[in-house]
């Protein structure tokens, strides 16, 4: 039998010791086997474990160690060589694997340690981010508070509300104990306590503005921590507790003038208010940065809101002022209108009142002239006549001028005989000129139309004035008058820079030149000639009569006729030339439709109206009967109607004339006229329409003409008037003049 | 014959006085001119038509003006008619009162209107009497065989 190579124990194997060793080895083996199992199990469970290979190694190492201890179990008793070999193999393997593992661990453990470090680092980072998040949230809160505050402040335009709201909201947001606003006084040397949060009515505490602490606050736009003992902060009676921290900030008070385009308000404001904020006294609160920022932002917003309020106040004040001015202007205008009305009334009355006696004087004096008089008496009567004529002219001139001044004068535009007008002027002036032994010549150009449309009377007045002046100021020689049609090149005269003639087919410009060989006028005096009442010395000496109004009136008449008048003279003693141009209408080419004959030309109805069928429309029975009687007396066959509808029903093409009373209320006479026009398409069939009315003012006349009436007659109508009206109507088909 | 001349003179004096006192104006003369053989009673017809018309209008006016709320438009329309009629026959004084009456109507002055109404009634009755007297004189002249002298 082979004996084992085990070393014989020195002492006999103790049964107990061997047993314990046996058990321990068993448990060790068990543990060694179970650890890798646990490891595998848990690693399998975890998703991330980068060191599998290490694990395998480790596992192998442990398993082998376990195996070794297990095999050891058999070596406590007599064991065979196989067991010894297995034991040896196991030990060898175990040694190899453990060494390998040991070598591997050298690489791995630093890695593992660094993982730990990174983990720590990340944890720190996370903590930091958390802190920052907290900060951002706080800032956002602040921002929200500011927005809300701003909204509150800006929702009102009233100064006091703005300031009060600011304090209240700030107090609430920041949980302040006290919040106060110090406003600069008018004089600017003191700050006055204007608003506080807790005290309802701050009694006017004032502090001088030049305190160092105040200057410190005013010099920066940041919120500044100030000592609770400074005069601006001593608002509460000093308590037993520690006063909380105090912060002050400036509030710029902006004025309208501060808002320049290129100039930001900071640079130009001079006045500041002081806002003082106090934290609650017995808390350990401190002013945080974000709170200070909030305060600064609010202070700025308040400034803006205040300036808006100021602008609003300003504009309201301006508007009130404007309204007052408007009212005053309105009043003034009405007063002026009343004055003008009063003046016009006065003039109208005086017109009549002054002219009547004048006429009487002139008429009676001329009659007196016709009687038998002694030479002395004759002289006296002549003087009376001359003076009263002068006076009459003066009265007329003044009244005319005042009417011209306020533009109430209207030209009477009618067709007239132009050639005839000149001839008449000539006839009027020749006797006077011949007395002074002056010659008068008239030359009319060949293209001067025979008839023109304009205000004949006033044109005559202008002519007489101009020619009369020429005669007046000439001692010898003569007057030459020339009339022509102005050509376009001669119209734009350098001497008449303001005159812009407009050409049209219906009008022409009459150019009249009156040249005299008289005393002339010095060039300086020429502009003065047209101003009323102005007379130069030299003129006055020679001028025994005349008020100086003549040329002024002429100028105004010429202007009314869209024309221009001016005088030329080469100097004293060299004569004078007066030139004027006026716009006149051309006859035959104007817009007024020329009347055409309606009746058959052979029969002349002029004095024989027998059987003439007419209609009389009048709602007043008496008036109707009278008009009918009138027409029946003249031989007409009269049908009477009392309304527009009846008239339209009755009228037919046998009726030659329809007389309509225009004063019928409620009936639109003009509409009836239009309907009659419509009813009779051809002009030959249509009866003539004549309006009977109580007033012949322009408006009525024009309205009647506009709707196509053929004439207007003023009531009351006499037999003779009716007779002439009828004859004119039937001869010419239209009444040219209102009768 | 003397009687006729006397009557004629009476008539002439009477009508002259009417013109002088302003009861009648030129228009009445025109009416008289319209009277001829074909229309012998023209003037009388017109005048009586005027009387009828005016009485109706005056009644209407009284009624309208006695209402609680006066319709001035209506009043104005009536006065306008009266004015037209009176001017057509030449009743000058009536016409003048009508003009004033219309002014009060425009101002909506009830007091003034009532006063004018009284005045108009008064004037109307005056002119009516005068005209009736004149017509009676004319009849007498015609009855006595004379003719009515033209002015």
């Amino acid at each position: 039998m082979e004996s084992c190579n085990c070393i014989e124990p020195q002492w006999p194997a103790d049964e107990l010791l061997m047993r314990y060793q046996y058990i321990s080895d068993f448990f060790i083996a068990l543990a060694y086997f179970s650890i890798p199992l646990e490891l595998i199990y848990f690693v399998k469970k975890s998703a991330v474990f980068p060191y599998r290979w290490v694990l395998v190694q480790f596992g192998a190492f442990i398993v082998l160690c376990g195996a070794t201890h297990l095999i050891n179990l058999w070596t406590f008793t007599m064991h065979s060589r196989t067991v010894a070999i297995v034991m040896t193999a196991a030990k060898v393997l175990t040694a190899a694997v453990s060494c390998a593992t040991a070598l591997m661990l050298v690489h791995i453990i630093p890695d593992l340690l660094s993982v730990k470090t990174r983990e720590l680092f990340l944890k720190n980072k996370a903590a930091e981010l958390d802190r920052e998040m907290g900060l951002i949230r706080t800032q956002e809160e602040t921002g929200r508070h500011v927005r809300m505050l701003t909204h509150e402040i800006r929702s009102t335009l009233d100064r006091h509300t703005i300031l009060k709201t600011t304090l209240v909201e700030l107090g609430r947001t920041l949980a302040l104990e006290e919040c106060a606003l110090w406003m600069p006084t008018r004089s600017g040397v003191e700050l006055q306590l204007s608003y506080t949060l807790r005290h309802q009515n701050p009694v006017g505490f004032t502090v001088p503005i030049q305190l160092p602490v105040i200057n410190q606050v005013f010099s920066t736009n940041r919120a500044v921590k100030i000592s609770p003992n400074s005069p601006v902060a001593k608002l509460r009676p000093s308590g037993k507790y520690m006063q909380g921290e105090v912060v002050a900030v400036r509030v710029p008070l902006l004025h309208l003038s501060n808002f320049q385009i290129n100039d930001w308000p900071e640079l130009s404001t001079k006045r500041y208010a002081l806002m003082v904020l106090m934290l609650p006294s017995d808390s350990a609160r401190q002013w945080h940065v974000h709170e200070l920022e909030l305060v600064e932002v609010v202070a700025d917003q308040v400034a803006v809101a205040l300036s808006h309020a100021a602008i609003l106040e300003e504009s309201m004040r301006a508007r009130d002022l404007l309204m007052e001015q408007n009212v005053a202007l309105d009043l003034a205008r009405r007063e002026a209108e009343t004055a003008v009305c009063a003046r016009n009334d006065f003039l109208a009355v005086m017109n009549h009142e002054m002219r009547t006696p004048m006429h009487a004087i002139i008429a009676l004096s001329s009659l007196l002239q016709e009687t038998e008089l002694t030479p002395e008496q004759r002289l006296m009567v002549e003087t009376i006549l001359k003076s009263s004529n002068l006076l009459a002219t003066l009265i007329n001139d003044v009244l005319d001028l005042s009417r011209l001044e306020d533009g109430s004068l209207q030209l009477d535009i009618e067709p007239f005989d132009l050639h005839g007008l000149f001839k008449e002027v000539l006839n009027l002036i020749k006797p006077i000129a011949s007395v002074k032994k002056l010659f008068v010549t008239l030359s009319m150009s060949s293209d001067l139309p025979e008839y023109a449309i304009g205000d004949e009377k006033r044109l005559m007045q202008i002519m007489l004035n101009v020619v009369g002046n020429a005669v007046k100021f000439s001692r010898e020689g003569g007057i030459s008058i020339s009339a022509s049609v102005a050509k376009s090149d001669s119209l734009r005269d350098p001497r008449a820079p303001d005159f812009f003639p407009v050409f049209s087919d219906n009008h022409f410009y009459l150019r009249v030149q009156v040249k005299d060989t008289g005393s002339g006028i010095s060039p300086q005096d020429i502009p003065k000639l047209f101003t009323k009442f102005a007379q130069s010395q030299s003129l006055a000496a020679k001028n025994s009569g005349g008020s100086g109004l003549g040329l002024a009136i002429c100028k105004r008449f010429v202007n009314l006729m869209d024309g221009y008048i001016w005088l030329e003279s080469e100097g004293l003693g060299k004569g004078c030339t007066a030139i004027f141009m006026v716009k006149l209408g051309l006859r035959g080419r104007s817009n007024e439709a020329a009347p055409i004959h309606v009746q058959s030309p052979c029969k002349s109805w002029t004095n024989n109206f027998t059987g003439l069928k007419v209609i009389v429309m009048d709602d007043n029975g008496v008036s109707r009967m009278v008009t009918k009687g009138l027409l029946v007396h003249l031989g007409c066959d009269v049908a009477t109607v009392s309304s527009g509808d009846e008239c339209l029903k009755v009228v037919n093409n046998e009726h030659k004339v329809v007389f309509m009373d225009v004063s019928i209320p409620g009936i639109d006479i003009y509409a009836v006229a239009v309907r009659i026009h419509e009813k009779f398409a051809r002009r030959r069939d249509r009866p003539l329409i004549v309006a009977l009315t109580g007033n012949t003012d322009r408006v009525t006349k024009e309205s009647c003409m506009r709707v196509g009436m053929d004439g207007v007659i003023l009531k009351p109508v006499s037999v003779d008037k009716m007779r002439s009206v009828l004859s004119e109507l039937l001869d010419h088909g239209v009444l040219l003049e209102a009768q | 014959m003397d009687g006729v001349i006397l009557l004629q003179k009476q008539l002439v004096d009477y009508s002259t006085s009417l013109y002088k006192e302003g009861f009648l104006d030129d228009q009445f003369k025109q009416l008289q001119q319209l009277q001829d053989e074909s229309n012998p009673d023209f003037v009388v017809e017109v005048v009586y038509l005027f009387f009828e018309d005016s009485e109706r209008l005056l009644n209407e006016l009284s009624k309208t003006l006695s209402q609680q709320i006066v319709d001035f438009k209506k009043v104005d329309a009536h006065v306008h008619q009266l004015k037209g009629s009176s001017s057509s026959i030449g009743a000058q004084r009536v016409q003048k009162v009508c003009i004033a009456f219309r002014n009060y109507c425009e101002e909506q002055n009830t007091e003034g209107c009532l006063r004018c109404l009284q005045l108009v009634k008064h004037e109307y009755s005056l002119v009516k009497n005068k005209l009736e007297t004149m017509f009676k004189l004319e009849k007498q002249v015609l009855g006595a065989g004379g003719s009515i002298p033209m002015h």
Side-chain angles (χ1 to χ4, degrees), chain A residues 472-542:
Chain A
K472 217 187 313 185
F473 291 111
S474 303
R475 287 241 180 92
E476 59 197 2
I479 322 282
S480 54
I481 310 170
S482 64
S484 57
V485 173
K487 301 283 180 292
S488 53
D489 49 342
S490 66
L491 277 175
R492 288 295 289 117
D493 213 298
R495 285 158 298 206
D498 299 330
F499 186 43
F500 297 105
V502 173
F503 275 106
S504 72
D505 269 340
N506 297 335
H507 298 108
F508 72 99
Y509 281 87
L510 170 72
R511 184 180 187 281
V512 175
Q513 181 176 298
V514 177
K515 207 163 149 58
D516 72 51
T517 56
S519 45
I521 310 167
S522 64
Q524 302 103 286
D525 287 337
I526 292 186
K528 276 195 275 178
L529 287 167
F530 290 106
T531 54
K532 45 180 185 167
F533 305 121
Q535 286 187 42
S536 66
Q537 279 301 98
S538 50
L539 286 179
K542 288 164 189 150

Side-chain angles (χ1 to χ4, degrees), chain A residues 21 40 83 145 221 261 275 406 693 711:
Chain A
Q21 277 196 358
I40 290 169
V83 175
H145 278 298
N221 63 348
I261 305 282
M275 195 154 60
D406 54 41
T693 169

Side-chain angles (χ1 to χ4, degrees), chain A residues 618-633 663-665 715-720, chain B residues 27 30-31 33-36 38-39 42 45-46 49-50 53 77 80-85 87-89:
Chain A
D618 191 337
D619 72 332
N620 185 317
V622 176
S623 168
R624 198 167 52 226
M625 193 164 169
V626 171
T627 315
K628 175 176 173 176
L630 201 54
L631 290 162
V632 161
H633 183 75
S663 51
I664 300 178
K715 286 207 287 193
V717 195
S718 67
V719 181
D720 294 321
Chain B
Q27 180 65 11
Q30 293 286 334
L31 285 186
Q33 280 192 7
L34 295 176
Q35 193 158 281
D36 53 22
S38 57
N39 223 340
F42 182 65
E45 277 175 20
V46 175
L49 183 60
F50 168 69
D53 220 27
H80 179 76
Q81 288 275 344
L82 189 58
K83 176 166 161 267
S85 318
S87 70
S88 294
I89 69 156

Side-chain angles (χ1 to χ4, degrees), chain A residues 360-537:
Chain A
I361 298 174
I362 292 174
L364 292 174
S365 320
S366 24
L367 279 177
L368 196 56
Q369 249 187 346
E370 310 280 312
T371 63
E372 288 275 339
L373 296 168
T374 71
E376 284 170 354
Q377 286 174 327
R378 188 163 290 278
L379 199 62
M380 285 191 245
V381 171
E382 273 176 9
T383 317
I384 293 173
L385 202 54
K386 232 195 295 188
S387 313
S388 37
N389 268 328
L390 234 75
L391 191 59
T393 319
L394 182 64
I395 291 172
N396 281 339
D397 279 356
V398 169
L399 290 169
D400 259 350
L401 194 64
S402 61
R403 272 199 303 160
L404 278 171
E405 293 276 85
D406 54 41
S408 60
L409 194 77
Q410 277 176 320
L411 296 175
D412 294 322
I413 309 282
E414 308 283 355
F416 65 94
D417 182 355
L418 191 61
H419 285 221
L421 181 111
F422 282 110
K423 293 206 181 81
E424 203 176 320
V425 169
L426 197 67
N427 288 337
L428 281 171
I429 215 69
K430 262 213 166 99
I432 307 174
S434 64
V435 161
K436 287 179 93 167
K437 302 224 179 3
L438 302 163
F439 67 84
V440 182
T441 60
L442 169 68
S443 70
M444 292 192 280
S445 76
S446 49
D447 59 357
L448 197 71
E450 207 182 306
Y451 290 94
I453 301 181
D455 189 335
E456 180 183 13
K457 193 174 90 167
R458 303 233 161 78
L459 186 59
M460 171 87 90
Q461 216 171 329
I462 298 171
M463 287 257 18
L464 282 175
N465 207 304
V466 170
V467 172
N469 276 346
V471 167
K472 217 187 313 185
F473 291 111
S474 303
R475 287 241 180 92
E476 59 197 2
I479 322 282
S480 54
I481 310 170
S482 64
S484 57
V485 173
K487 301 283 180 292
S488 53
D489 49 342
S490 66
L491 277 175
R492 288 295 289 117
D493 213 298
R495 285 158 298 206
D498 299 330
F499 186 43
F500 297 105
V502 173
F503 275 106
S504 72
D505 269 340
N506 297 335
H507 298 108
F508 72 99
Y509 281 87
L510 170 72
R511 184 180 187 281
V512 175
Q513 181 176 298
V514 177
K515 207 163 149 58
D516 72 51
T517 56
S519 45
I521 310 167
S522 64
Q524 302 103 286
D525 287 337
I526 292 186
K528 276 195 275 178
L529 287 167
F530 290 106
T531 54
K532 45 180 185 167
F533 305 121
Q535 286 187 42
S536 66
Q537 279 301 98

Side-chain angles (χ1 to χ4, degrees), chain B residues 24-139:
Chain B
L24 298 174
D25 65 16
D26 228 22
Q27 180 65 11
F28 194 76
K29 284 208 188 113
Q30 293 286 334
L31 285 186
Q32 286 179 324
Q33 280 192 7
L34 295 176
Q35 193 158 281
D36 53 22
E37 305 81 33
S38 57
N39 223 340
D41 294 318
F42 182 65
V43 179
V44 177
E45 277 175 20
V46 175
V47 170
Y48 274 97
L49 183 60
F50 168 69
F51 289 159
E52 264 178 49
D53 220 27
S54 307
E55 261 147 47
R56 177 182 59 89
L57 284 169
L58 287 172
N59 279 337
E60 283 291 318
L61 278 170
S62 302
K63 232 193 306 174
T64 317
L65 280 172
S66 62
Q67 303 277 357
Q68 274 284 60
I69 305 170
V70 178
D71 184 355
F72 283 102
K73 273 205 176 62
K74 223 163 139 195
V75 175
D76 189 62
H78 289 320
V79 177
H80 179 76
Q81 288 275 344
L82 189 58
K83 176 166 161 267
S85 318
S86 53
S87 70
S88 294
I89 69 156
Q92 202 185 42
R93 279 161 75 138
V94 178
Q95 185 195 3
K96 285 211 172 108
V97 180
C98 285
I99 295 176
F101 202 150
R102 284 195 86 189
N103 283 341
Y104 281 119
C105 278
E106 261 184 59
E107 296 168 10
Q108 303 215 348
N109 181 344
T110 316
E111 268 261 351
C113 285
L114 284 168
R115 262 182 297 154
C116 274
L117 181 62
Q118 289 307 104
L119 208 57
V120 155
K121 280 190 179 163
H122 177 68
E123 287 297 334
Y124 166 72
S125 57
L126 277 178
V127 81
K128 180 165 174 197
N129 274 336
K130 302 276 182 188
L131 283 168
E132 282 175 347
T133 316
M134 199 172 80
F135 288 153
K136 237 193 292 198
L137 280 173
E138 282 182 1
K139 242 200 233 160

